Amino acid sequence: QSALTQPASVSGSPGQSITLSCTGTSSDVGGYKYVSWYQQYPGKAPKLMIYDVSNRPSGVSNRFSGSKSGNTASLTISGLQADDEADYYCSSYTSSGTWVFGGGTKLTVL
Amino acid sequence: QVQLQESGPGLVKPSQTLSVTCTVSGGSISSGNYHWTWIRQPAGKGLQWIGRIHSNGDTKYNPSLKSRVTISMDTSKNQFSLKLTSVIAADTAVYYCAREGSGSLFDPWGQGTLVTVSS
């Protein structure tokens, strides 16, 4: 199974909205509603931010939202803040009954 | 609330077997419709799903690791474990355990344990 494709880096200014992409195939992202997003700070465990494409766990800011179109899922962060600077990973269920992650995107807040 | 804590050897020699354990507190691993999962992350790289075990004992593994991986559970200790055989330097990583809930969520996660493969 190949890793999902994420841009290596994205940057934005405080207050701005940015969108991170996660591209797979019809055998993973495009075929299921089971896409999730994780935020990871250096040296820390990942934290769930979005699950089932667009659902937000309790405690996660409503500045984070998720969507999907075809084989590409997206995470949008609105009102960018300094502490949003982190690595972000997407994950998808696959037709093999396994899970696959993206390579991660490093978000820099300018 | 459920919490997960990994424990491991820290250092494993090439060709040997890596064994790490995840201790779960705040809930039973044998109840509920959950999968208990292992994920790893080499330094500076992305996450890789290794495999999972269901609360009923069913397992599923990453095809790229399947021949070397075994995940098991010990309900008496409320733990689940990962064994990876014939390790090489590329198996050096932080190993995380996590609970896979209904849908696509891995939550919560353990804090991770670094395992280095080196002679």
Side-chain angles (χ1 to χ4, degrees), chain B residues 20-95:
Chain B
V20 287
T21 295
C22 184
T23 301
V24 179
S25 58
S28 171
I29 64 170
S30 58
S31 64
N33 189 27
Y34 295 113
H35 291 92
W36 303 93
T37 300
W38 287 100
I39 294 162
R40 70 180 182 178
Q41 184 174 36
K45 296 188 178 181
L47 301 166
Q48 183 183 34
W49 183 83
I50 299 171
R52 69 184 190 189
I53 185 165
H54 191 266
S55 51
N56 65 10
D58 288 345
T59 56
K60 188 76 173 180
Y61 302 125
N62 186 319
S64 68
L65 299 169
K66 186 176 181 179
S67 64
R68 299 193 292 133
V69 171
T70 302
I71 297 175
S72 59
M73 58 197 302
D74 184 338
T75 56
S76 68
K77 295 181 179 179
N78 218 35
Q79 295 175 332
F80 64 105
S81 299
L82 166 70
K83 289 190 188 301
L84 183 65
T85 63
S86 304
V87 295
I88 60 176
D91 294 315
T92 294
V94 175
Y95 285 76

Side-chain angles (χ1 to χ4, degrees), chain A residues 5-102:
Chain A
T5 299
Q6 297 184 249
S9 62
V10 168
S11 63
S13 301
Q16 201 177 5
S17 289
I18 59 95
T19 297
L20 310 181
S21 63
C22 170
T23 301
T25 70
S26 58
S27 295
D28 38 63
V29 174
Y32 304 92
K33 68 172 185 177
Y34 300 130
V35 176
S36 50
W37 290 88
Y38 300 86
Q39 177 191 63
Q40 186 181 36
Y41 293 116
K44 299 295 187 182
K47 174 188 175 185
L48 177 68
M49 304 301 285
I50 294 288
Y51 68 97
D52 292 356
V53 175
S54 59
N55 291 336
R56 202 170 41 248
S58 61
V60 172
S61 170
N62 59 10
R63 297 185 300 105
F64 292 83
S65 61
S67 62
K68 190 184 79 163
S69 177
N71 296 338
T72 298
S74 299
L75 174 70
T76 298
I77 309 174
S78 59
L80 205 58
Q81 299 178 357
D83 63 358
D84 295 332
E85 184 164 296
D87 294 327
Y88 291 85
Y89 293 92
C90 61
S91 174
S92 174
Y93 187 70
T94 81
S95 59
S96 300
T98 61
W99 294 90
V100 63
F101 285 92

